Amino acid sequence: MGTLTMAVCIPTYERRDIVEDFLNNCYDTYTAAGIDLYFYDSSMGNDTQTLIQEWLPKGQLHYIRLPSDMHPNAKAYKIFQGYGLEKEYDFILLSSDGLQHKGEMLSQAIECLDLKYDMIILDWIGEQNEGIQAIANLDELMTSCAYHMTSFGAVILNTHTMLRNVDWPSYEERFLKEPLIPWSHVCYYFWKAAEMEKFESLVLSLPFRSVGFSMHKKDSVWTETVFPYICEGWVQTIESLPKRYIHKDRVIFDFSRDYFVNPECFLQYRRRGIFSYQLCKKYWDIWKKVTPVSRPTLLAVSLVPQKWLNGLYKLSFCRRLLRLKKFCNSHSKIVVYGKGTQGYLYGKFLMDRCLKLDGFCVSHSVPQGEQFMGYPVHMFTKPETDSCETGYIIGVASGNAPEVLATLQAAVPGDHFFLDLKLSNEIRYQYGYSFLVIK
């Protein structure tokens, strides 16, 4: 990093398990890169504080206590203003407690740090080719990156430009209120950039595997509030941006589409009691802005009885489970490909149902003797013989599934690997990971 300094600032609330997971998996990686870590804790209890205080002697780690009723985005504005920072930094990264940047991503990000850039976007979910792109045009930045800039952990700010000469009372009054407060960090990024005489950003596009997510994080505020967050907050956030941001309709639709991409999404929301006839009518004039699903279809979904819908999902789950059982029974060994959240859930699912499980595999090299959930973990390699006695269950996030599928297709016959994203969604749902069930 040279003489440039950087801090990663992490708001958290009542999630000692997630913070512990982060410290165990990431502390060495971040601090070895010269990054200081700050946790902004608004928990009502002291469990998180006690944990972090045990780690403080290691250095480069700081703990700041905040009121328990403070909104995460109000914490974000405190962080932007430098609250709790032990010194001045050249760059600040506001991140999530459940997000874990991998070492490769951090190394590439640090190599890109340069004071000529006001903002560096770490994009691990975009459709751009891997690489680096400088963007100075604000409308291009919005259309290319607004989707990803919503994520805590995606935007590195140059403190000398993005966080200087700011009328903070004005920003707080305008954006730290409903329905904009969930998006107040996005409001800040684009409004502040528009105020600057000269703006320069850098987009670092990386594979989805460049980040990890704590398997302890099962839920989020999105679960129950997805409709007001998008149909009110997101729409108003983008529509209210200055005129120099031109393609606002496209940005609203592109982001919303991932949550409202097809009727299946709305059926899932209806199943959970989140989508209703009243809500359908409330946002009747908004639907065309946020989803390709027609309004008559939405109306029909809103009227489907939940009991009847749950019965259909149960029937579908039984059929998919039967296929999984047949797959397990047709192989002498079963290996789950992946050891992230989805790999963990598949492992737990197989064990809970007394199905065959012999281990896990991953795409990268692993230390000799490594274990996960009490089973061996190996780097996947193409079998030396054509017998292929091992069956592989693809247990990775949907963003990684195409890459893993291509690897297996090139190495083993098609009847020796199992991929069912709908079953994966159902398993996540049954174990309480509802924030991951989008499609």
Side-chain angles (χ1 to χ4, degrees):
M1 195 187 300
T3 59
L4 298 179
T5 57
M6 177 174 164
V8 172
C9 302
I10 305 172
T12 189
Y13 174 77
E14 296 290 4
R15 292 318 306 256
R16 182 190 189 280
D17 52 352
I18 292 179
V19 173
E20 185 172 25
D21 189 39
F22 178 92
L23 292 173
N24 286 333
N25 290 327
C26 302
Y27 173 85
D28 291 340
T29 303
Y30 282 63
T31 56
I35 296 171
D36 288 351
L37 295 169
Y38 288 80
F39 281 93
Y40 290 79
D41 179 26
S42 59
S43 303
M44 291 184 287
N46 296 319
D47 288 352
T48 303
Q49 179 178 2
T50 301
L51 168 68
I52 295 176
Q53 285 177 337
E54 293 174 356
W55 283 73
L56 290 180
K58 293 177 176 286
Q60 295 178 252
L61 180 64
H62 307 272
Y63 176 85
I64 298 94
R65 193 68 177 255
L66 293 171
S68 60
D69 60 350
M70 182 174 286
H71 192 283
N73 283 58
K75 296 181 195 177
Y77 271 47
K78 286 284 188 183
I79 291 168
F80 291 161
Q81 296 174 63
Y83 182 81
L85 298 182
E86 295 290 328
K87 61 181 181 181
E88 291 189 3
Y89 293 90
D90 296 305
F91 294 92
I92 292 291
L93 172 61
L94 171 70
S95 194
S96 164
D97 56 8
L99 179 68
Q100 301 176 2
H101 298 88
K102 302 290 181 64
E104 181 181 357
M105 170 179 270
L106 287 178
S107 297
Q108 294 187 51
I110 288 169
E111 290 177 3
C112 292
L113 294 184
D114 191 314
L115 292 178
K116 71 179 180 180
Y117 298 118
D118 305 296
M119 188 185 296
I120 299 172
I121 295 96
L122 308 177
D123 186 355
W124 60 84
I125 61 174
E127 297 180 355
Q128 305 175 41
N129 294 326
E130 296 176 28
I132 301 174
Q133 179 185 13
I135 299 178
N137 180 278
L138 292 184
D139 187 63
E140 182 182 355
L141 176 70
M142 179 187 69
T143 53
S144 300
C145 303
Y147 179 107
H148 195 55
M149 289 168 65
T150 62
S151 302
F152 279 15
V155 182
I156 300 175
L157 298 177
N158 181 333
T159 64
H160 304 285
T161 57
M162 287 296 294
L163 302 178
R164 294 289 186 271
N165 303 315
V166 181
D167 184 355
W168 288 111
S170 173
Y171 272 90
E172 291 177 345
E173 182 180 357
R174 290 155 61 196
F175 303 128
L176 293 184
K177 62 181 181 181
E178 296 293 352
L180 301 181
I181 189 169
W183 310 106
S184 55
H185 57 304
V186 180
C187 296
Y188 181 78
Y189 299 151
F190 288 116
W191 278 92
K192 174 59 178 175
E195 292 174 358
M196 297 170 61
E197 193 171 311
K198 183 181 178 182
F199 175 83
E200 185 80 20
S201 68
L202 190 74
V203 180
L204 178 59
S205 299
L206 294 163
F208 189 76
R209 65 176 181 274
S210 300
V211 297
F213 300 90
S214 174
M215 64 184 64
H216 296 290
K217 190 163 187 176
K218 293 185 175 183
D219 214 337
S220 78
V221 293
W222 280 88
T223 303
E224 301 296 331
T225 57
V226 59
F227 291 105
Y229 270 29
I230 293 179
C231 297
E232 298 175 41
W234 181 246
V235 170
Q236 292 183 35
T237 290
I238 301 303
E239 288 185 342
S240 65
L241 291 179
K243 292 183 179 179
R244 61 192 303 181
Y245 295 101
I246 301 169
H247 297 95
K248 298 177 182 179
D249 290 347
R250 183 197 307 174
V251 171
I252 290 172
F253 190 82
D254 285 348
F255 175 82
S256 310
R257 184 178 55 188
D258 201 42
Y259 295 88
F260 305 150
V261 65
N262 54 33
E264 172 68 20
C265 292
F266 289 91
L267 286 169
Q268 286 278 7
Y269 294 133
R270 178 62 184 150
R271 174 193 185 187
R272 285 144 56 184
I274 299 172
F275 185 58
S276 65
Y277 171 78
Q278 291 76 14
L279 191 142
C280 181
K281 298 298 290 184
K282 178 179 180 180
Y283 297 121
W284 192 254
D285 295 330
I286 302 294
W287 294 125
K288 288 184 178 180
K289 298 181 179 182
V290 299
T291 179
V293 182
S294 70
R295 290 188 292 186
T297 299
L298 295 176
L299 183 60
V301 171
S302 74
L303 296 172
V304 176
Q306 282 181 260
K307 185 176 181 180
W308 181 76
L309 190 58
N310 280 321
L312 284 180
Y313 274 103
K314 184 177 180 180
L315 179 61
S316 174
F317 169 73
C318 290
R319 290 173 176 169
R320 295 177 185 280
L321 175 59
L322 181 60
R323 288 199 292 269
L324 177 62
K325 288 181 176 179
K326 288 181 178 179
F327 178 82
C328 292
N329 292 333
S330 64
H331 295 86
S332 59
K333 292 184 179 180
I334 292 294
V335 173
V336 174
Y337 199 125
K339 66 181 190 73
T341 301
Q342 190 57 50
Y344 165 79
L345 291 177
Y346 255 119
K348 181 174 174 57
F349 184 77
L350 294 172
M351 288 187 284
D352 287 349
R353 292 186 174 264
C354 299
L355 296 175
K356 193 179 300 178
L357 176 62
D358 297 281
F360 296 81
C361 70
V362 293
S363 300
H364 52 81
S365 60
V366 297
Q368 187 174 3
E370 179 170 337
Q371 290 197 335
F372 183 65
M373 302 180 73
Y375 289 89
V377 181
H378 302 286
M379 178 180 176
F380 175 79
T381 56
K382 184 176 181 178
E384 296 181 357
T385 66
D386 295 331
S387 60
C388 292
E389 297 177 350
T390 301
Y392 298 91
I393 297 174
I394 300 179
V396 298
S398 58
N400 290 332
E403 181 179 347
V404 172
L405 178 61
T407 298
L408 288 170
Q409 286 175 330
V412 299
D415 59 347
H416 290 280
F417 58 84
F418 180 91
L419 174 63
D420 188 335
L421 293 179
K422 287 191 175 182
L423 179 60
S424 298
N425 279 344
E426 186 62 26
I427 290 172
R428 292 201 297 264
Y429 179 80
Q430 290 191 10
Y431 281 117
Y433 288 72
S434 55
F435 84 102
L436 291 170
V437 183
I438 298 173
K439 300 178 183 178

